[in-house]
Amino acid sequence: MAENMAITKTDLLAAAQNGALVLTVNQRLARYLVQAYDSRLQEQGCTAWKSPTIHFHMQWQRQMAGLLHLDAKTLAPVQALRLWERAVEEEERDLAGGGLMRVPDAARAAAQAHQLLCEYGATFKPEDGGEDHRAFLRWQRRWQQLCREGGWDDPALLPGRLVQALEHTELPLPGDLWLAGFDELTPTIEALCLTLQKRGVTVHQWMPQACQPQSQGRVGYADPDEEVRSCAQWVRRQLEDNVERIGVIAVDMAAYQQRLQRIFREELSPAALLPGAGAEKAFNLSLGTPLLNEGMVLAAFELLALGRRVSLDSISYLLRSPFVWGYSAEKHSRAILDRELRNLRMTELPLKNVLHFAERGFKKKLGLADIFARQLETIQTALADTDTRLPGAWARHFAEVLDNCQWSRDRSLTSREFQVFTAWKELLAGTACLDPVSRPMRRGEALALLRRLAAEEVFQPEGSAGRVQVLGALEATGQQFDALWLIGAHDEALPASARPNAFIPPPLQRSLKMPHADAARELDFAHKIAERLLIAAPLLVVSWPLCMDGRERQPSPLVQHLPLIEPRLSGSQRPALLIQEAAPPLESLCDEYGPAIPEGSRISGGTAILKDQALCPFKAYARHRLGARGLSTASVGLDGLDRGSLVHRVLELFWQKTRDWQGLTTLDAEDWSERSLSCVEQALDELDSVRQVSLSKSQKQLEKQRLLGLLGEWLEIEAQRPPFSVETMEAWHRETFGPLTLQTRIDRIDRLADGSQVIIDYKTGLAAVGDWLGDRPVEPQLPLYTLDRHDSELSAVAFAKVKRGDCPFVGLGRDDDLLPGVASASGHRKLEGTEISHWDDLLKSWHQTLHQLGDGFANGQAQVDPINARLACDRCDLQSLCRIADQNGLQGDEELL
């Protein structure tokens, strides 16, 4: 084989012009050489010419298979993978333990193992490996059986078949063969070369000549983000200096791709960040993204995946997606529908209920979205089809459903979106090729298969072939640049860690030197990659992150011979930074008050107003004056609010029937059980009647068991009290603070044997006496209930903490033990160091404190002044409104401490 580094690209193109066959290591290099060939002939004055025989080697194999009429019988890659999935499924179906959980992943790895074994002409016996290797051999036998039954040729054997055809003159021989860009030759390529040489064909191997170095060096950066941003600024500097061909090569593109896309757009093409921006012009990122990740395709799958029960996340996504028909006309009503569905606080909803809400809206027709409802109706109709079909028929069915839903037709598509739409249509059409290797399947299985195909389909939008190319290390083979930045060259990426195939015994992989077999193999390959890349441009910068994924990184040992440098960078063009730098000085105005509450105004909120005012005046103002709210959070089953309401109602019903301590303690076991069950069932029925979505039988049964256990545990505590009677329950209470009148309901007031009263508030969460005290009591309801009571009449206030395994009274009283565990205010440890020495002082303190809070709210007090971050800010849904992170000098993604 002729291999001479002095051979130039001109020599190669001249050979191609003379009819030589040029096989490249990848598709990108083939395109690059064809473009160079066309330019050469244009320079020679030609106006028309025959296309050169420059091909990606796998594409050439497929062309030769067509000449041998093997293409119709040889499985395409997607067909072969689907047949491997069938082989794995069928082999594992009857095994103990239910078979594999991730058949597609196992099938993919098995197909790769089979390809390697065929490539290297190797086999192994069951006793040569472990259980995984024996499983692979079973799958391989089943795969080969399925191929024989279907009359299909194994695509892994195609290269060998072509070599045989060349040996027997079944295929035309090229004049010369040129191999372009191969760092190393696979066994099948070596066999091809040997066969052609025997037939008198001259074989050449070409790699670009080394560039004459002008400036080379390495530099480390704190993290990958700083590394990529510096690289982008270096690229801008090269553009400003009119450098023609600029390359950025990522050693590990998978780890850097998203950063490169995001940061390069910020620095090189800020306009591309705007909604509706066209195709990227400033740079060409070679590797695409899975088609499934494109918003238009994801919206299609979310529509098709809707079932009889739908997740709130899926419905919310569809309501907010611009690719769902009617978004432009209904985006306001859809936002309201999304909010109201979230207010149901359910993670899953029946599709028929969502359809009902979309058709009719909620109260006062809030969230009415007719167009969206029509699409849900289309989906609901489609779900009635329970037949089994082949993948091609399902693809046509899915396309019809999307057409009926007017998917992606709500607005004009951008260039990128149109390319996505085209790629999706091609994916659906191509699914029919799986029919010969598939069996009829149900809708869910077909949709899962289509989703997998979309995840495997790489979408690469048509971009500019301009001056800046961003490539992976393997894609850059054969490419040369005027300036090159090699990014991510740390010791864990160059060389990479060994990744032997899990289904081939490691000793066999090492003996044959299969790709990724061991560390020595990776090091040898990394040397070849590094040698090629380090001579690919006269101006070279190599960088690495000093820290990545929480671990320190060192430069690759293959680049440590380069000197340390400081690359010349252009100034950052990040939009946020430019806006900040260009912003004029702003005048600060500290306005901590909104308008006072007008006389006669009605403001709802009850004790929550005072609680929020104590936590943070801005929170109270924004929530109760401006009506600001975060979106509700869904939970599985009943959430804390519903469960708390159930406990309150069950206890109310029980004491309505029982009335006092004597009635409680005289109940026998049967009456106790019957009354408890009656109260629990009534409370559940009442809750179910007011819910937009009914509880399932299993949910009711679980909640019934929980409530019965909790009620029994709490009533045992009540039975230990001295005699009492329940005087009032859910009694309305009003309190006035200037123009502000608060109306609340007191859970319960008991009358003790001495004639005094005890106020009780049920609590199913945390409860602490300290939350009532201080200038800003964060649990003000019990103190509020004391304001219109005669000092001599009221003897204690307490939370009844009704929580499984933790059911105490938590409170303060005039004397000790008026309630179990409730101490006197006199000398209480929480009141030490204050001016409160006894019960009457405490009542007066509450009166003063609560009126200060109420008057502050009524006067429009609205400063951002949280009592502390843990209580006021950790779960607050208004931080984006108050911007406390900015006020404290924090970045948006830093945690508020």
Side-chain angles (χ1 to χ4, degrees), residues 51-117:
S51 296
T53 52
I54 300 175
H55 304 290
F56 172 37
H57 70 95
M58 295 187 69
Q59 182 185 32
W60 176 80
Q61 288 178 6
R62 289 192 289 271
Q63 290 179 357
M64 295 303 100
L67 293 178
L68 294 172
H69 305 292
L70 298 176
D71 50 341
K73 296 191 298 179
T74 303
L75 292 171
V78 65
Q79 292 175 311
L81 184 57
R82 177 57 188 156
L83 201 63
W84 272 105
E85 291 176 3
R86 270 189 60 189
V88 174
E89 288 171 351
E90 293 175 5
E91 280 297 311
E92 298 299 314
R93 184 182 302 145
D94 300 326
L95 290 183
L100 292 176
M101 295 297 293
R102 298 181 64 87
V103 169
D105 292 344
R108 181 176 297 279
Q112 292 169 352
H114 177 72
Q115 177 73 34
L116 281 172
L117 290 172

Side-chain angles (χ1 to χ4, degrees), residues 669-716:
E670 183 177 349
D671 291 338
W672 181 309
S673 177
E674 182 180 342
R675 183 169 299 178
S676 298
L677 181 60
S678 172
C679 294
V680 167
E681 289 180 339
Q682 182 178 342
L684 284 170
D685 289 341
E686 291 175 357
L687 176 66
D688 206 24
S689 67
V690 299
R691 284 171 59 89
Q692 298 282 0
V693 179
S694 299
L695 295 170
S696 66
K697 291 183 179 179
S698 58
Q699 284 179 312
K700 280 189 176 181
Q701 186 60 33
L702 287 173
E703 198 58 29
K704 183 188 298 185
Q705 294 173 0
R706 184 188 76 89
L707 289 169
L708 287 173
L710 190 56
L711 180 62
E713 186 174 345
W714 175 250
L715 292 179
E716 287 181 9

Side-chain angles (χ1 to χ4, degrees), residues 419-441:
Q419 293 178 61
V420 171
F421 180 82
T422 303
W424 168 256
K425 290 294 186 181
E426 291 173 353
L427 179 70
L428 287 178
T431 306
C433 77
L434 296 178
D435 289 355
V437 295
S438 300
R439 295 170 302 179
M441 57 186 66

